[in-house]
Amino acid sequence: MKRILFIAPASFPVTGAENIVNIKLLQALSKSGDFEIDLVSKKSKWENYPSESISTYAVNLESLNVVEVDNRINVRTCVGHLLAFFYFGVTFKGAHWAVKALPVVKKLFSQNKYDYVLTKDSPSLLLGYYLRKKKGLKWVATWNDPYPESKYPKPYGKGWQCRNSFSDSRLIKMMKNWVDIHIFPSNRIQTYMNHYLCLSSDKMIVVPHVVLDQKQTLSTPSCDILKIIHSGNLKYPRNPLLLIKSLDLFMKEHPGFKMEVTFMGVLDDEMYDLIIQYGLTDIIKIISPVPYKDSLLLLSQYHLAIVIEASCEEGIFLPTKVSDFMQCHKHIWAISPKIGVLNDLYNSGKIAYYSDNADFDSVYKELCRVCEDFRAGILDRSVSLVENYTEKYVVDKLYIIPYKHYQ
């Protein structure tokens, strides 16, 4: 049995993609019976949250510590940012939450003996740094996205080669010198961040987003209509234009084919206009986002789930939706950079369909293949879980931490 201090500002309440990743990991760890967990999370004043308890997500904790913070600019938050510099040697937007959470973390540390502290998203690294430097607690840090944020690849950020600000230099030094084990969700983001972290291999480990073991079979309301869904933000730099054009051409060439494509989320205004311009309002449905649990139920109504990524030189991200779609045993079509994580998953047989998001012919040909497979009944078959995304795999990896020199 291991006792861990789990510091994840974006975890509970569950409000977004990062929260979903973290709450699923908490569920897998607590369900295993191998971990005792104290969670420290964040709640912002003046924001509305779902009225639900942590038990709604089948998460069993030793303690839940939700630290509320005011994100408006006022005297108190300005003082909080100054104190962050005093306590941690660096400050940045949002760092004042770590100041408010510090007394909670100190109290938990004084009351319990932990195997390690696990930090998940900014500014949790400030607290991990404090516990490692001041208290000697082993520190395991997870980087689901490049950090600092300026290091995001273009067009999201400036790229890993960009010149470091004072704050970035301090944060990178903190990450290099004080973290015992760094966790990344993919090999590509590990390699990307290691361009500037310069870590030895025994300090890094790849652990994908966990896929919970749900006994769920694929079902659709109508076997004569191909139903496809994309869930999540489709605003710039993500772009569904090639998919919209491919749907237009396909329906012109196959006017009797029955298909429904749902975009659940927000699109740029010009995409709404294009859907009307191409006469696809009967094919493409746009619906508002729904709570996470409802979204999983909604997925059962579709044959195929699409992931559309931004055009990057290299796709280093492992989108949260990939593990959600796997969890619901759905066939996945990735429209993403030709060099990237999702193409790797396709080439290794972990997802069934792939298109280069910069190539119209690639998108159109894959749409045709999807439709052919639907006619052949292939999309009616449930998809098996990928072994290294399963609860057992992820839990085992986190259990052997912080020991080094493992495979």
Side-chain angles (χ1 to χ4, degrees), residues 214-327:
Q214 291 187 170
K215 306 300 181 184
Q216 184 172 346
T217 57
L218 186 150
S219 61
T220 55
S222 174
C223 60
D224 64 341
I225 300 177
L226 170 59
K227 300 194 70 175
I228 300 173
I229 187 169
H230 180 284
S231 60
N233 178 19
L234 273 177
K235 292 180 74 68
Y236 178 84
R238 301 180 183 94
N239 192 338
L241 177 60
L242 295 187
L243 176 61
I244 292 171
K245 288 185 174 181
S246 295
L247 289 168
D248 173 56
L249 178 58
F250 183 87
M251 295 312 298
K252 286 176 179 175
E253 295 186 346
H254 306 83
F257 192 90
K258 295 181 179 180
M259 175 166 39
E260 179 183 305
V261 179
T262 298
F263 292 145
M264 183 171 68
V266 182
L267 284 75
D268 285 321
D269 290 341
E270 63 186 46
M271 292 302 148
Y272 289 94
D273 295 337
L274 280 174
I275 292 169
I276 296 172
Q277 177 185 325
Y278 284 116
L280 293 172
T281 53
D282 290 338
I283 303 296
I284 299 177
K285 311 295 181 185
I286 302 171
I287 62 175
S288 299
V290 299
Y292 175 63
K293 286 195 167 186
D294 294 341
S295 72
L296 298 182
L297 293 174
L298 186 66
L299 277 173
S300 68
Q301 301 174 22
Y302 293 86
H303 295 95
L304 176 76
I306 297 181
V307 181
I308 297 177
E309 288 197 293
S311 291
C312 300
E313 183 176 340
E314 177 186 7
I316 63 171
F317 299 100
L318 176 61
T320 306
K321 292 300 177 185
V322 171
S323 61
D324 288 341
F325 298 155
M326 287 180 175
Q327 186 171 312

Side-chain angles (χ1 to χ4, degrees), residues 105-346:
V105 167
K106 285 182 176 180
K107 182 178 179 181
L108 287 167
F109 180 83
S110 68
Q111 294 174 340
N112 304 289
K113 182 175 177 58
Y114 293 108
D115 289 277
Y116 60 88
V117 55
L118 177 63
T119 59
K120 292 291 292 183
D121 39 270
S122 184
S124 66
L125 80 160
L126 299 180
L127 299 169
Y129 164 72
Y130 177 89
L131 290 169
R132 182 66 180 90
K133 184 176 182 180
K134 301 291 186 180
K135 307 295 183 181
L137 181 61
K138 291 187 181 295
W139 178 16
V140 179
T142 298
W143 313 106
N144 290 334
D145 299 310
Y147 197 81
E149 291 183 5
S150 61
K151 298 291 186 181
Y152 266 61
K154 297 176 182 179
Y156 293 102
K158 302 175 183 178
W160 67 264
Q161 308 98 325
C162 73
R163 184 175 182 178
N164 295 328
S165 65
F166 171 80
S167 175
D168 288 351
S169 295
R170 296 284 295 180
L171 291 169
I172 291 170
K173 185 177 180 181
M174 190 182 293
M175 295 159 71
K176 289 175 64 172
N177 296 341
W178 292 99
V179 178
D180 291 285
I181 297 291
H182 298 257
I183 298 177
F184 306 90
S186 74
N187 285 305
R188 287 190 181 274
I189 195 169
Q190 173 180 291
T191 301
Y192 182 90
M193 289 184 63
N194 209 35
H195 284 306
Y196 55 90
L197 290 179
C198 304
L199 303 168
S200 60
S201 60
D202 66 334
K203 298 195 72 171
M204 301 182 291
I205 181 173
V206 172
V207 182
H209 304 324
V210 66
V211 174
L212 299 179
D213 187 9
Q214 291 187 170
K215 306 300 181 184
Q216 184 172 346
T217 57
L218 186 150
S219 61
T220 55
S222 174
C223 60
D224 64 341
I225 300 177
L226 170 59
K227 300 194 70 175
I228 300 173
I229 187 169
H230 180 284
S231 60
N233 178 19
L234 273 177
K235 292 180 74 68
Y236 178 84
R238 301 180 183 94
N239 192 338
L241 177 60
L242 295 187
L243 176 61
I244 292 171
K245 288 185 174 181
S246 295
L247 289 168
D248 173 56
L249 178 58
F250 183 87
M251 295 312 298
K252 286 176 179 175
E253 295 186 346
H254 306 83
F257 192 90
K258 295 181 179 180
M259 175 166 39
E260 179 183 305
V261 179
T262 298
F263 292 145
M264 183 171 68
V266 182
L267 284 75
D268 285 321
D269 290 341
E270 63 186 46
M271 292 302 148
Y272 289 94
D273 295 337
L274 280 174
I275 292 169
I276 296 172
Q277 177 185 325
Y278 284 116
L280 293 172
T281 53
D282 290 338
I283 303 296
I284 299 177
K285 311 295 181 185
I286 302 171
I287 62 175
S288 299
V290 299
Y292 175 63
K293 286 195 167 186
D294 294 341
S295 72
L296 298 182
L297 293 174
L298 186 66
L299 277 173
S300 68
Q301 301 174 22
Y302 293 86
H303 295 95
L304 176 76
I306 297 181
V307 181
I308 297 177
E309 288 197 293
S311 291
C312 300
E313 183 176 340
E314 177 186 7
I316 63 171
F317 299 100
L318 176 61
T320 306
K321 292 300 177 185
V322 171
S323 61
D324 288 341
F325 298 155
M326 287 180 175
Q327 186 171 312
C328 294
H329 303 273
K330 292 295 167 181
H331 298 271
I332 298 173
W333 177 10
I335 302 176
S336 64
K338 62 184 177 181
I339 299 173
V341 173
L342 296 190
N343 196 17
D344 295 341
L345 290 176
Y346 171 73

Side-chain angles (χ1 to χ4, degrees), residues 22 152 276 393 407:
N22 293 335
Y152 266 61
I276 296 172
Y393 181 90
Q407 297 297 321

Side-chain angles (χ1 to χ4, degrees), residues 345-357:
L345 290 176
Y346 171 73
N347 289 328
S348 61
K350 293 181 175 66
I351 61 176
Y353 303 95
Y354 169 79
S355 299
D356 179 352
N357 65 354

